[in-house]
């Protein structure tokens, strides 16, 4: 539920690669015990790229993400224990901390329009901040991604689409679906609003790759 009138965090704690790695490791260990009765999506291998991107993200900026957002929440400044508690409550795939301006959903493509709308509002209300939308390589192939990027570019909105390319859509190889090696936006004017990087995920798409009994 959206909470309003909460004071935003007064300061930001510097998050290191080791912090991100150890957080995911801790969650993996807890998930293996069967105490988290909901899907958990862990990520490894993109810590440095995310830290670099978050150097430009501050309290005025909004972050939108999907099912794989533990690292995004920590980097946005949400306290470690708060992120952990949400995951223990089964919210790994839909982490939302409105007071920290980070909103995530487990539904592929669902937030592209909302994020672009926030960017529109920031621009037309004269407010500071940029809307950052983090997604995977296959999500970047969806129709709504195309529409959102096109709109953001043509109206020059304060929006950045961050495509984290792990070469997979769950267990499907993205390149086999695309029929080519490059993402559709490579070499187009739409790259202006897109940050793109490749990584190899050290974890399976979801969970630990083995059946966990609750
Ligand atoms: C509307 C909808 N359809 C299907 C799914 C199931 N699903 C979860 S993740 C995913 C693949 C996404 O691939 P990508 O965007 O590359 O993300 P990543 O591999 O980085 O997790 C799919 C199909 C979903 N979450 N939402």
């Amino acid at each position: 539920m959206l909470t309003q009138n909460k004071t935003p965090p007064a300061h930001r704690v510097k998050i290191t690669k080791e912090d991100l790695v150890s957080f995911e490791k801790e969650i993996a260990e807890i998930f293996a015990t069967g105490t988290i009765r909901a899907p958990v999506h862990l990520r490894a291998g993109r810590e440095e790229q995310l830290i670099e991107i978050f150097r430009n993200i501050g309290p005025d900026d909004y972050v939108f993400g999907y099912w794989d957002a533990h690292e995004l929440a920590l980097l946005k400044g949400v306290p470690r224990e708060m992120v952990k508690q949400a995951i223990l409550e089964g919210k790994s795939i839909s982490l939302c901390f409105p007071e920290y301006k980070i909103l995530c959903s487990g539904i592929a493509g669902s937030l592209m329009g909302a994020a672009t709308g926030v960017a529109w509002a920031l621009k037309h209300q004269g407010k500071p901040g940029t809307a950052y939308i983090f997604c995977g390589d296959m999500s970047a192939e969806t129709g709504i991604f195309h529409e959102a990027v096109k709109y953001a570019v043509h109206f020059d909105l304060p929006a950045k689409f961050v495509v984290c390319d792990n070469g997979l859509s769950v267990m499907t190889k993205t390149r086999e679906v695309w029929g080519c090696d490059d993402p559709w936006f490579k070499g187009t004017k739409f790259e202006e609003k897109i940050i793109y990087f490749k990584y190899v995920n050290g974890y399976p798409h979801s969970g630990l790759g083995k059946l966990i009994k609750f």
Side-chain angles (χ1 to χ4, degrees):
M1 193 179 82
L2 283 181
T3 47
Q4 290 179 354
N5 302 325
K6 276 204 176 176
T7 312
H11 65 278
R12 305 182 71 224
V13 179
K14 191 171 181 292
I15 302 290
T16 64
K17 177 178 177 178
E18 291 67 37
D19 293 330
L20 296 176
V21 171
S22 73
F23 184 83
E24 292 294 66
K25 194 163 173 287
E26 183 184 354
I27 298 299
E29 286 167 6
I30 298 171
F31 186 69
T33 67
T35 50
I36 303 175
R37 301 169 72 91
V40 161
H41 288 54
L42 303 157
R43 292 292 178 266
R46 60 178 183 174
E47 298 84 4
E48 284 166 12
Q49 293 97 323
L50 292 180
I51 288 170
E52 190 58 34
I53 292 164
F54 269 84
R55 277 189 216 290
N56 293 317
I57 300 179
D60 288 331
D61 299 315
Y62 285 80
V63 167
F64 295 86
Y66 291 94
W67 40 85
D68 57 337
H70 301 174
E71 301 150 292
L72 307 185
L74 294 172
L75 287 163
K76 190 66 174 79
V78 184
R80 184 182 173 110
E81 284 309 309
M82 206 186 273
V83 182
K84 181 178 163 185
Q85 185 56 35
I87 295 167
L88 296 182
E89 289 169 9
K91 297 173 187 157
S92 165
I93 64 169
S94 56
L95 292 174
C96 285
F97 303 96
E99 63 274 34
Y100 290 87
K101 297 194 173 87
I102 173 161
L103 301 159
C104 305
S105 157
I107 309 297
S110 61
L111 296 172
M112 308 287 178
T116 306
V118 166
W120 174 272
L122 288 173
K123 178 168 179 167
H124 290 279
Q125 292 174 6
K127 290 183 178 168
T130 295
Y132 286 81
I133 307 111
F134 289 77
C135 71
D137 41 302
M138 192 59 92
S139 295
E141 193 68 12
T142 58
I144 187 65
F145 181 90
H146 284 72
E147 290 177 30
V149 172
K150 204 172 153 189
Y151 198 82
V153 168
H154 291 158
F155 286 99
D156 193 23
L157 301 183
K160 284 279 181 197
F161 298 79
V162 185
V163 181
C164 313
D165 181 355
N166 59 18
L168 291 173
S169 170
V170 187
M171 294 166 79
T172 302
K173 290 182 181 162
T174 317
R175 265 73 190 170
E176 287 181 7
V177 179
W178 287 351
C180 64
D181 282 340
D182 293 326
W184 67 268
F185 46 80
K186 190 172 177 200
T188 72
K189 66 178 178 181
F190 300 106
E191 278 184 312
E192 169 200 330
K193 297 281 184 199
I194 297 172
I195 298 170
Y196 170 80
F197 67 87
K198 285 184 178 175
Y199 77 105
V200 176
N201 185 14
Y203 288 102
H205 170 77
S206 173
L208 295 170
K210 61 181 180 186
L211 191 64
I212 305 292
K213 282 191 184 168
F214 296 140

